[in-house]
């Protein structure tokens, strides 16, 4: 990216500090954000997090991104829940 594009990204960036068990993005929420995991881990849950029958689809750890697929796909909502692990 050129300097102008990086500046636009920096203006829209927000640093979140979350605790274990906090929900980052919930299933059904608008898909309008891409997340970068700087430290720790995010568990992506297929259903309602920690409910009976729920399963973990993926773990995202430091320097991983998630959310970009939901933004670029046809759906406009989150297909799963991201929970701090």
């Amino acid at each position: 990216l050129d300097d102008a594009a990086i500046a636009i990204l920096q203006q829209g960036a927000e640093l979140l500090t979350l605790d274990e068990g906090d929900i980052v993005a919930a299933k059904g929420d608008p898909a309008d954000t891409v997340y970068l995991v700087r430290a720790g881990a995010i568990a992506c849950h297929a259903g309602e997090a920690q409910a009976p029958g729920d399963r973990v689809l993926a773990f995202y750890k430091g320097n991983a991104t998630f959310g970009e697929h939901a933004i670029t796909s046809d759906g406009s909502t989150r297909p799963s829940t991201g929970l701090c692990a």
Side-chain angles (χ1 to χ4, degrees):
L1 297 174
D2 62 19
D3 290 342
I6 291 172
I8 290 169
L9 287 174
Q10 288 174 328
Q11 290 172 359
E14 179 182 358
L15 178 62
L16 302 174
T17 301
L18 304 168
D19 294 320
E20 185 174 340
D22 286 350
I23 294 176
V24 177
K27 183 175 183 175
D29 282 354
D32 59 1
T33 306
V34 173
Y35 295 93
L36 169 65
V37 180
R38 287 188 52 207
I42 301 293
C44 179
H45 291 259
E48 189 174 325
Q50 301 177 342
D54 177 45
R55 62 189 171 102
V56 175
L57 300 173
F59 279 99
Y60 300 98
K61 295 184 177 182
N63 292 322
T65 61
F66 72 97
E68 63 273 17
H69 179 72
I71 287 176
T72 59
S73 68
D74 290 336
S76 60
T77 61
R78 299 269 175 218
S80 56
T81 296
L83 187 73
C84 293

